[in-house]
Amino acid sequence: MASQEYMDKMQIRQNYRNLWHTDLVRTIQRDPPYCCLAFWCGPCVSYMLRKRALYNDMSRYTCCAGYMPCSGRCGESKCPEFCLCTEVFLCFGNSVASTRFLLQDEFNIQTTKCDNCIIGFMFCLQQIACIFSIVAMIVGSDEIQEASQLLSCLADMVYCTVCACMQTQHKIEMDKRDGMFGPQPMAVPPVQQMSRIDQPIPPAAGYPPPAYGQAYPPQAPGYTAPGYPPAAYPPAQNPPAGYPPPGYYR
């Protein structure tokens, strides 16, 4: 029952309308220094991004942002900073994914097909590396053992690279939220909007939608837009003083 609810929430997340400000492929071009920092110091960056996602208010913190069964049962309210440190170092992958889900649910952001393919390739490569390691352990062949080690190394490199790009993507999105390259920063939402694990369908929130309709350029006099009735004719004007009214000489 619980797994079906999680699947339903994942399906709802795919129906969001907004997109990430930068996709995973372009994050290295957009902010190379931060991407390198996220690659070499992933847990530290994950700590900073989660705290920033919570608007630097650690009273909002819940383990794994409320998306895991252990959320709310680890005594987070007593020492949220320590619990967050434990999360990012012992459950690094979950910490990155939880921050991602938190931003997606707050701003109604969907993950593009390209990003899904990159993340799916990362998981598949890890599974293949695990299978090769098991086969090498059972067979005992030196060639298979060496191949499994190379594949495991490749899987770890892809994992660290994708996580670094994801965290850079989160950072750029929060830069947009805080008005660093936008019109104005967004207001801090209430506490109940920060986690959506207990809500079947998230309420309407996020970035304001684009203006509806289309502004037409100025047209010549007498022009009528398609689908609109013609403009009313101007009212008849009274003749100047000293002239007879219309129809006087009939």
Side-chain angles (χ1 to χ4, degrees):
M1 184 64 181
S3 60
Q4 184 62 35
E5 293 179 358
Y6 289 133
M7 294 299 296
D8 293 340
K9 290 182 176 65
M10 292 293 293
Q11 184 64 34
I12 293 172
R13 192 173 290 119
Q14 291 298 323
N15 295 329
Y16 288 161
R17 298 300 181 183
N18 297 323
L19 297 176
W20 294 99
H21 188 76
T22 303
D23 55 18
L24 289 177
V25 178
R26 295 180 176 87
T27 51
I28 300 178
Q29 297 176 337
R30 189 61 186 266
D31 199 340
Y34 198 88
C35 194
C36 293
L37 177 65
F39 182 84
W40 296 107
C41 304
C44 299
V45 171
S46 182
Y47 181 95
M48 294 186 294
L49 289 178
R50 176 67 63 78
K51 186 176 181 180
R52 185 179 175 187
L54 298 174
Y55 297 88
N56 295 320
D57 183 6
M58 291 302 292
S59 63
R60 300 170 177 259
Y61 172 75
T62 306
C63 181
C64 296
Y67 296 103
M68 298 296 170
C70 62
S71 302
R73 304 177 182 178
C74 303
E76 301 96 326
S77 58
K78 298 179 180 179
C79 190
E81 289 82 4
F82 176 77
C83 291
L84 180 56
C85 286
T86 305
E87 176 188 339
V88 299
F89 279 100
L90 299 184
C91 305
F92 172 71
N94 285 339
S95 69
V96 176
S98 298
T99 302
R100 185 177 188 84
F101 295 155
L102 186 65
L103 294 175
Q104 284 186 275
D105 289 344
E106 183 180 355
F107 301 124
N108 293 344
I109 302 174
Q110 63 170 311
T111 301
T112 62
K113 294 182 179 180
C114 179
D115 289 358
N116 282 332
C117 289
I118 294 174
I119 297 172
F121 172 74
M122 175 189 68
F123 286 128
C124 290
L125 192 59
Q126 289 180 329
Q127 297 297 326
I128 295 174
C130 181
I131 293 173
F132 262 74
S133 299
I134 296 174
V135 172
M137 181 179 61
I138 296 175
V139 175
S141 174
D142 294 337
E143 291 79 5
I144 298 179
Q145 185 70 28
E146 184 177 356
S148 67
Q149 291 178 358
L150 292 176
L151 193 57
S152 299
C153 182
L154 178 61
D156 292 340
M157 288 294 296
V158 172
Y159 174 78
C160 294
T161 303
V162 173
C163 287
C165 292
M166 289 175 64
Q167 298 206 91
T168 306
Q169 188 181 48
H170 303 164
K171 183 257 185 185
I172 294 173
E173 195 67 32
M174 284 187 279
D175 287 346
K176 175 184 176 182
R177 180 197 71 182
D178 297 337
M180 293 186 178
F181 48 82
Q184 59 182 359
M186 297 187 64
V188 179
V191 177
Q192 61 268 21
Q193 293 188 12
M194 295 303 297
S195 179
R196 310 299 173 88
I197 192 65
D198 56 343
Q199 301 179 15
I201 300 179
Y207 299 118
Y212 180 79
Q214 180 179 1
Y216 291 94
Q219 303 291 340
Y223 171 79
T224 302
Y228 289 86
Y233 292 100
Q237 299 179 356
N238 294 327
Y243 288 86
Y248 179 77
Y249 294 104
R250 291 182 181 176

PDB file of all heavy atoms in Angstrom, residues 33-53:
ATOM      1  N   PRO A  33      33.060  25.948 -11.231  1.00  0.00           N
ATOM      2  CA  PRO A  33      33.670  25.829  -9.896  1.00  0.00           C
ATOM      3  C   PRO A  33      32.792  25.089  -8.897  1.00  0.00           C
ATOM      4  O   PRO A  33      33.278  24.249  -8.135  1.00  0.00           O
ATOM      5  CB  PRO A  33      33.899  27.290  -9.485  1.00  0.00           C
ATOM      6  CG  PRO A  33      33.935  28.059 -10.764  1.00  0.00           C
ATOM      7  CD  PRO A  33      32.970  27.363 -11.660  1.00  0.00           C
ATOM      8  N   TYR A  34      31.496  25.393  -8.906  1.00  0.00           N
ATOM      9  CA  TYR A  34      30.616  24.729  -7.942  1.00  0.00           C
ATOM     10  C   TYR A  34      30.455  23.254  -8.277  1.00  0.00           C
ATOM     11  O   TYR A  34      30.325  22.418  -7.371  1.00  0.00           O
ATOM     12  CB  TYR A  34      29.246  25.410  -7.923  1.00  0.00           C
ATOM     13  CG  TYR A  34      28.438  25.101  -6.693  1.00  0.00           C
ATOM     14  CD1 TYR A  34      28.562  25.881  -5.550  1.00  0.00           C
ATOM     15  CD2 TYR A  34      27.566  24.019  -6.656  1.00  0.00           C
ATOM     16  CE1 TYR A  34      27.829  25.595  -4.411  1.00  0.00           C
ATOM     17  CE2 TYR A  34      26.831  23.726  -5.523  1.00  0.00           C
ATOM     18  CZ  TYR A  34      26.972  24.517  -4.403  1.00  0.00           C
ATOM     19  OH  TYR A  34      26.266  24.224  -3.275  1.00  0.00           O
ATOM     20  N   CYS A  35      30.471  22.914  -9.557  1.00  0.00           N
ATOM     21  CA  CYS A  35      30.374  21.507  -9.947  1.00  0.00           C
ATOM     22  C   CYS A  35      31.597  20.729  -9.461  1.00  0.00           C
ATOM     23  O   CYS A  35      31.475  19.594  -8.991  1.00  0.00           O
ATOM     24  CB  CYS A  35      30.222  21.410 -11.457  1.00  0.00           C
ATOM     25  SG  CYS A  35      29.686  19.792 -12.048  1.00  0.00           S
ATOM     26  N   CYS A  36      32.778  21.340  -9.545  1.00  0.00           N
ATOM     27  CA  CYS A  36      33.990  20.689  -9.027  1.00  0.00           C
ATOM     28  C   CYS A  36      33.922  20.548  -7.513  1.00  0.00           C
ATOM     29  O   CYS A  36      34.326  19.518  -6.956  1.00  0.00           O
ATOM     30  CB  CYS A  36      35.220  21.486  -9.438  1.00  0.00           C
ATOM     31  SG  CYS A  36      35.554  21.483 -11.213  1.00  0.00           S
ATOM     32  N   LEU A  37      33.411  21.585  -6.839  1.00  0.00           N
ATOM     33  CA  LEU A  37      33.262  21.501  -5.386  1.00  0.00           C
ATOM     34  C   LEU A  37      32.305  20.383  -4.996  1.00  0.00           C
ATOM     35  O   LEU A  37      32.565  19.626  -4.049  1.00  0.00           O
ATOM     36  CB  LEU A  37      32.764  22.844  -4.844  1.00  0.00           C
ATOM     37  CG  LEU A  37      32.481  22.905  -3.339  1.00  0.00           C
ATOM     38  CD1 LEU A  37      33.750  22.708  -2.528  1.00  0.00           C
ATOM     39  CD2 LEU A  37      31.824  24.242  -2.978  1.00  0.00           C
ATOM     40  N   ALA A  38      31.187  20.251  -5.734  1.00  0.00           N
ATOM     41  CA  ALA A  38      30.233  19.189  -5.439  1.00  0.00           C
ATOM     42  C   ALA A  38      30.804  17.812  -5.746  1.00  0.00           C
ATOM     43  O   ALA A  38      30.397  16.815  -5.134  1.00  0.00           O
ATOM     44  CB  ALA A  38      28.947  19.410  -6.236  1.00  0.00           C
ATOM     45  N   PHE A  39      31.739  17.720  -6.679  1.00  0.00           N
ATOM     46  CA  PHE A  39      32.344  16.428  -7.012  1.00  0.00           C
ATOM     47  C   PHE A  39      33.293  15.962  -5.913  1.00  0.00           C
ATOM     48  O   PHE A  39      33.295  14.791  -5.533  1.00  0.00           O
ATOM     49  CB  PHE A  39      33.088  16.540  -8.346  1.00  0.00           C
ATOM     50  CG  PHE A  39      33.712  15.256  -8.803  1.00  0.00           C
ATOM     51  CD1 PHE A  39      32.972  14.321  -9.496  1.00  0.00           C
ATOM     52  CD2 PHE A  39      35.047  14.975  -8.529  1.00  0.00           C
ATOM     53  CE1 PHE A  39      33.551  13.123  -9.915  1.00  0.00           C
ATOM     54  CE2 PHE A  39      35.635  13.794  -8.948  1.00  0.00           C
ATOM     55  CZ  PHE A  39      34.882  12.857  -9.640  1.00  0.00           C
ATOM     56  N   TRP A  40      34.126  16.869  -5.393  1.00  0.00           N
ATOM     57  CA  TRP A  40      35.139  16.497  -4.407  1.00  0.00           C
ATOM     58  C   TRP A  40      34.634  16.579  -2.969  1.00  0.00           C
ATOM     59  O   TRP A  40      35.171  15.899  -2.091  1.00  0.00           O
ATOM     60  CB  TRP A  40      36.378  17.384  -4.564  1.00  0.00           C
ATOM     61  CG  TRP A  40      37.076  17.209  -5.868  1.00  0.00           C
ATOM     62  CD1 TRP A  40      37.104  18.074  -6.922  1.00  0.00           C
ATOM     63  CD2 TRP A  40      37.849  16.071  -6.282  1.00  0.00           C
ATOM     64  NE1 TRP A  40      37.827  17.555  -7.965  1.00  0.00           N
ATOM     65  CE2 TRP A  40      38.306  16.321  -7.601  1.00  0.00           C
ATOM     66  CE3 TRP A  40      38.196  14.871  -5.674  1.00  0.00           C
ATOM     67  CZ2 TRP A  40      39.089  15.422  -8.301  1.00  0.00           C
ATOM     68  CZ3 TRP A  40      38.981  13.965  -6.381  1.00  0.00           C
ATOM     69  CH2 TRP A  40      39.420  14.248  -7.677  1.00  0.00           C
ATOM     70  N   CYS A  41      33.619  17.381  -2.711  1.00  0.00           N
ATOM     71  CA  CYS A  41      33.094  17.541  -1.337  1.00  0.00           C
ATOM     72  C   CYS A  41      31.585  17.378  -1.362  1.00  0.00           C
ATOM     73  O   CYS A  41      30.838  18.289  -0.961  1.00  0.00           O
ATOM     74  CB  CYS A  41      33.488  18.890  -0.756  1.00  0.00           C
ATOM     75  SG  CYS A  41      35.255  19.212  -0.741  1.00  0.00           S
ATOM     76  N   GLY A  42      31.125  16.242  -1.877  1.00  0.00           N
ATOM     77  CA  GLY A  42      29.697  16.027  -2.046  1.00  0.00           C
ATOM     78  C   GLY A  42      28.877  16.126  -0.765  1.00  0.00           C
ATOM     79  O   GLY A  42      27.866  16.833  -0.740  1.00  0.00           O
ATOM     80  N   PRO A  43      29.254  15.464   0.331  1.00  0.00           N
ATOM     81  CA  PRO A  43      28.445  15.561   1.549  1.00  0.00           C
ATOM     82  C   PRO A  43      28.356  16.975   2.110  1.00  0.00           C
ATOM     83  O   PRO A  43      27.288  17.387   2.578  1.00  0.00           O
ATOM     84  CB  PRO A  43      29.168  14.618   2.523  1.00  0.00           C
ATOM     85  CG  PRO A  43      29.879  13.647   1.643  1.00  0.00           C
ATOM     86  CD  PRO A  43      30.299  14.436   0.445  1.00  0.00           C
ATOM     87  N   CYS A  44      29.447  17.730   2.057  1.00  0.00           N
ATOM     88  CA  CYS A  44      29.417  19.111   2.556  1.00  0.00           C
ATOM     89  C   CYS A  44      28.481  19.974   1.722  1.00  0.00           C
ATOM     90  O   CYS A  44      27.700  20.779   2.259  1.00  0.00           O
ATOM     91  CB  CYS A  44      30.822  19.706   2.561  1.00  0.00           C
ATOM     92  SG  CYS A  44      31.998  18.840   3.620  1.00  0.00           S
ATOM     93  N   VAL A  45      28.528  19.799   0.406  1.00  0.00           N
ATOM     94  CA  VAL A  45      27.634  20.558  -0.467  1.00  0.00           C
ATOM     95  C   VAL A  45      26.188  20.140  -0.236  1.00  0.00           C
ATOM     96  O   VAL A  45      25.274  20.978  -0.235  1.00  0.00           O
ATOM     97  CB  VAL A  45      28.048  20.359  -1.939  1.00  0.00           C
ATOM     98  CG1 VAL A  45      27.018  20.955  -2.886  1.00  0.00           C
ATOM     99  CG2 VAL A  45      29.413  20.979  -2.191  1.00  0.00           C
ATOM    100  N   SER A  46      25.957  18.858  -0.023  1.00  0.00           N
ATOM    101  CA  SER A  46      24.597  18.393   0.252  1.00  0.00           C
ATOM    102  C   SER A  46      24.051  19.002   1.540  1.00  0.00           C
ATOM    103  O   SER A  46      22.869  19.371   1.606  1.00  0.00           O
ATOM    104  CB  SER A  46      24.577  16.862   0.343  1.00  0.00           C
ATOM    105  OG  SER A  46      23.271  16.383   0.566  1.00  0.00           O
ATOM    106  N   TYR A  47      24.894  19.139   2.554  1.00  0.00           N
ATOM    107  CA  TYR A  47      24.467  19.779   3.804  1.00  0.00           C
ATOM    108  C   TYR A  47      24.072  21.230   3.552  1.00  0.00           C
ATOM    109  O   TYR A  47      23.012  21.694   4.002  1.00  0.00           O
ATOM    110  CB  TYR A  47      25.600  19.701   4.827  1.00  0.00           C
ATOM    111  CG  TYR A  47      25.260  20.315   6.169  1.00  0.00           C
ATOM    112  CD1 TYR A  47      24.778  19.523   7.212  1.00  0.00           C
ATOM    113  CD2 TYR A  47      25.418  21.676   6.400  1.00  0.00           C
ATOM    114  CE1 TYR A  47      24.467  20.077   8.437  1.00  0.00           C
ATOM    115  CE2 TYR A  47      25.107  22.243   7.625  1.00  0.00           C
ATOM    116  CZ  TYR A  47      24.635  21.437   8.638  1.00  0.00           C
ATOM    117  OH  TYR A  47      24.313  21.995   9.854  1.00  0.00           O
ATOM    118  N   MET A  48      24.914  21.968   2.829  1.00  0.00           N
ATOM    119  CA  MET A  48      24.640  23.382   2.584  1.00  0.00           C
ATOM    120  C   MET A  48      23.385  23.579   1.736  1.00  0.00           C
ATOM    121  O   MET A  48      22.584  24.490   1.990  1.00  0.00           O
ATOM    122  CB  MET A  48      25.849  24.043   1.915  1.00  0.00           C
ATOM    123  CG  MET A  48      27.084  24.117   2.792  1.00  0.00           C
ATOM    124  SD  MET A  48      28.449  25.043   2.034  1.00  0.00           S
ATOM    125  CE  MET A  48      28.858  23.969   0.635  1.00  0.00           C
ATOM    126  N   LEU A  49      23.201  22.718   0.739  1.00  0.00           N
ATOM    127  CA  LEU A  49      22.037  22.877  -0.127  1.00  0.00           C
ATOM    128  C   LEU A  49      20.742  22.540   0.599  1.00  0.00           C
ATOM    129  O   LEU A  49      19.727  23.199   0.391  1.00  0.00           O
ATOM    130  CB  LEU A  49      22.195  21.985  -1.365  1.00  0.00           C
ATOM    131  CG  LEU A  49      23.259  22.422  -2.377  1.00  0.00           C
ATOM    132  CD1 LEU A  49      23.347  21.421  -3.519  1.00  0.00           C
ATOM    133  CD2 LEU A  49      22.980  23.819  -2.918  1.00  0.00           C
ATOM    134  N   ARG A  50      20.765  21.503   1.447  1.00  0.00           N
ATOM    135  CA  ARG A  50      19.540  21.188   2.189  1.00  0.00           C
ATOM    136  C   ARG A  50      19.182  22.323   3.141  1.00  0.00           C
ATOM    137  O   ARG A  50      18.000  22.700   3.258  1.00  0.00           O
ATOM    138  CB  ARG A  50      19.720  19.886   2.968  1.00  0.00           C
ATOM    139  CG  ARG A  50      18.520  19.531   3.857  1.00  0.00           C
ATOM    140  CD  ARG A  50      17.292  19.188   3.035  1.00  0.00           C
ATOM    141  NE  ARG A  50      17.576  18.014   2.254  1.00  0.00           N
ATOM    142  CZ  ARG A  50      17.559  16.765   2.770  1.00  0.00           C
ATOM    143  NH1 ARG A  50      17.233  16.563   4.037  1.00  0.00           N
ATOM    144  NH2 ARG A  50      17.840  15.739   2.004  1.00  0.00           N
ATOM    145  N   LYS A  51      20.165  22.860   3.818  1.00  0.00           N
ATOM    146  CA  LYS A  51      19.881  23.973   4.727  1.00  0.00           C
ATOM    147  C   LYS A  51      19.364  25.181   3.969  1.00  0.00           C
ATOM    148  O   LYS A  51      18.437  25.872   4.413  1.00  0.00           O
ATOM    149  CB  LYS A  51      21.157  24.333   5.506  1.00  0.00           C
ATOM    150  CG  LYS A  51      20.934  25.386   6.597  1.00  0.00           C
ATOM    151  CD  LYS A  51      22.203  25.610   7.387  1.00  0.00           C
ATOM    152  CE  LYS A  51      21.957  26.643   8.484  1.00  0.00           C
ATOM    153  NZ  LYS A  51      23.195  26.894   9.276  1.00  0.00           N
ATOM    154  N   ARG A  52      19.930  25.424   2.804  1.00  0.00           N
ATOM    155  CA  ARG A  52      19.458  26.553   1.997  1.00  0.00           C
ATOM    156  C   ARG A  52      18.066  26.284   1.440  1.00  0.00           C
ATOM    157  O   ARG A  52      17.243  27.210   1.323  1.00  0.00           O
ATOM    158  CB  ARG A  52      20.440  26.803   0.858  1.00  0.00           C
ATOM    159  CG  ARG A  52      20.115  28.032   0.025  1.00  0.00           C
ATOM    160  CD  ARG A  52      21.134  28.230  -1.077  1.00  0.00           C
ATOM    161  NE  ARG A  52      20.759  29.326  -1.935  1.00  0.00           N
ATOM    162  CZ  ARG A  52      21.386  29.642  -3.064  1.00  0.00           C
ATOM    163  NH1 ARG A  52      22.454  28.924  -3.435  1.00  0.00           N
ATOM    164  NH2 ARG A  52      20.975  30.651  -3.806  1.00  0.00           N
ATOM    165  N   ALA A  53      17.776  25.038   1.064  1.00  0.00           N
ATOM    166  CA  ALA A  53      16.438  24.700   0.588  1.00  0.00           C
ATOM    167  C   ALA A  53      15.384  24.919   1.657  1.00  0.00           C
ATOM    168  O   ALA A  53      14.220  25.196   1.346  1.00  0.00           O
ATOM    169  CB  ALA A  53      16.403  23.250   0.099  1.00  0.00           C
TER     170      ALA A  53
END
